[in-house]
Amino acid sequence: IGVIISGPVIFTGVSMLFIQLPRERRKRPTIVLLLISIILITVGALSKFVYYWFGSNVEVILGVFIFCFAFAPLMTKFRYEKWSQFIGSSRSALLLSITDFVIVVMIFVGLLFRMMHWPADSIMLIIGCSLLPITIIAWNRILGKQLVHRKMAEENLIEAHQELKEKSEEILDSIAYAKRIQTAILPPEKMVKELLPHSFVLYLPKDVVAGDFYWMQKIEKKVFFAAADCTGHGVPGAMVSVICNNALNRAVKEFNKRTPADILDQAREIVIQEFDKSEEDVKDGMDLSLCSITGMKLE
């Protein structure tokens, strides 16, 4: 009786030494306790039923007690930590984990009592075997509900991902087409080389489309060229750049301005007029450097 009482107490105390440790530090002691219990039970059973060695009962008893009262509590803690993440109620996960622990203890200790011909073995086996199907059904029902919820969430996530992917492709296609439009308003390289043979263009926009642009026109013997930085980045900046580019073209072709100062003044008025059409307060514009060159004279 002293062994039956003191054994569980001692090995439960051993389990308590490790059960408060972090999860990663509990793994090795748990594996070691499992291996020790398996070795003791296996060697003890072989000694008792095959070789009839003396002391085999002690090995079996120690093995079962280590498995039930040292290894099983640690494994129960692992089980609770794992499944409580998937079950909505942590209380249900704890109750089922404890029930699993009771089943393990009842079945293994009951088998030990039967092997040793001790009393109450049938009661423990009946309790353990009776609780086993109940806890299996409970786990299946709870996890089945969670599986359905997860499946629905996964389907919603896939649908949202597909919708986001389609929207992203539409946006990227629109931006790519906007780049083609913005590139079309820029002076072609052939024109730049023809008007200014010893020149080069360094154009490195931050985004696919941007508010930066360069402009060039030849009116009579004058070559006008400009570098502009519109307010905003990306698509908004590109939209402003189209308006400002159009303003420069109109200032030269429609209003016949022929000096950089006059062109800038006229372009400013055109941009202000364009934005004044909006009912909202628009404060967009551009910073611009504009020059003209006639022969070897730069203005």
Side-chain angles (χ1 to χ4, degrees):
I1 297 175
V3 174
I4 297 174
I5 296 176
S6 61
V9 173
I10 292 172
F11 291 117
T12 301
V14 173
S15 177
M16 292 300 106
L17 294 176
F18 302 109
I19 203 167
Q20 299 299 327
L21 295 176
R23 182 183 179 88
E24 292 300 321
R25 294 183 60 186
R26 269 187 281 123
K27 286 184 177 180
R28 181 172 294 179
T30 303
I31 296 173
V32 171
L33 289 171
L34 176 61
L35 292 176
I36 292 173
S37 64
I38 291 175
I39 292 171
L40 287 173
I41 293 173
T42 303
V43 173
L46 290 174
S47 301
K48 182 177 179 63
F49 297 108
V50 178
Y51 300 104
Y52 306 102
W53 289 348
F54 177 77
S56 59
N57 289 343
V58 176
E59 294 172 348
V60 174
I61 293 171
L62 287 175
V64 171
F65 281 176
I66 291 174
F67 184 87
C68 293
F69 302 105
F71 166 75
L74 294 174
M75 199 61 203
T76 301
K77 182 73 178 293
F78 277 117
R79 189 176 179 84
Y80 168 73
E81 290 173 343
K82 177 181 179 180
W83 293 112
S84 60
Q85 302 175 13
F86 302 97
I87 298 177
S89 172
S90 58
R91 183 179 300 177
S92 299
L94 178 61
L95 179 61
L96 288 172
S97 299
I98 292 174
T99 305
D100 289 342
F101 170 72
V102 172
I103 290 171
V104 170
V105 171
M106 287 296 176
I107 291 177
F108 275 83
V109 175
L111 292 173
L112 174 65
F113 273 44
R114 175 155 295 188
M115 183 184 300
M116 301 301 168
H117 305 289
W118 292 340
D121 57 327
S122 298
I123 296 175
M124 285 186 283
L125 288 172
I126 290 172
I127 293 174
C129 293
S130 299
L131 290 175
L132 183 59
I134 296 175
T135 186
I136 291 175
I137 293 172
W139 276 114
N140 287 337
R141 289 190 63 182
I142 293 176
L143 294 177
K145 291 180 180 178
Q146 295 301 317
L147 182 62
V148 171
H149 292 321
R150 281 179 165 267
K151 187 66 175 177
M152 293 175 61
E154 183 180 348
E155 291 175 355
N156 292 334
L157 183 60
I158 292 174
E159 184 179 347
H161 177 267
Q162 184 63 30
E163 183 178 352
L164 182 62
K165 181 181 178 181
E166 292 175 358
K167 294 294 183 183
S168 177
E169 290 176 352
E170 290 178 4
I171 292 172
L172 291 176
D173 290 343
S174 297
I175 292 176
Y177 194 75
K179 178 178 176 59
R180 291 176 58 188
I181 296 174
Q182 188 179 39
T183 303
I185 70 173
L186 297 175
E189 184 178 353
K190 181 180 179 180
M191 174 183 176
V192 175
K193 288 297 183 181
E194 182 180 327
L195 297 180
L196 300 174
H198 303 292
S199 66
F200 68 94
V201 176
L202 181 64
Y203 183 61
L204 300 173
K206 176 177 178 292
D207 301 305
V208 178
V209 290
D212 304 323
F213 72 95
Y214 55 97
W215 176 84
M216 179 177 286
Q217 284 288 344
K218 181 180 181 181
I219 305 297
E220 299 172 354
K221 295 183 179 182
K222 282 189 176 183
V223 177
F224 297 93
F225 58 94
D229 177 16
C230 299
T231 55
H233 299 282
V235 175
M239 295 178 68
V240 176
S241 73
V242 172
I243 295 174
C244 294
N245 185 283
N246 181 62
L248 291 172
N249 288 328
R250 289 183 61 192
V252 173
K253 296 179 179 179
E254 183 179 335
F255 293 93
N256 298 316
K257 302 300 181 181
R258 294 296 180 265
T259 64
D262 292 339
I263 294 172
L264 287 176
D265 288 339
Q266 187 62 56
R268 179 178 179 274
E269 292 181 8
I270 294 172
V271 171
I272 292 175
Q273 290 174 4
E274 291 294 329
F275 287 136
D276 279 345
K277 297 176 183 178
S278 173
E279 296 180 355
E280 299 181 3
D281 185 17
V282 180
K283 297 182 179 180
D284 292 305
M286 63 177 169
D287 295 325
L288 177 71
S289 294
L290 174 64
C291 297
S292 70
I293 185 169
T294 307
M296 300 297 294
K297 183 180 179 181
L298 179 70
E299 292 183 292

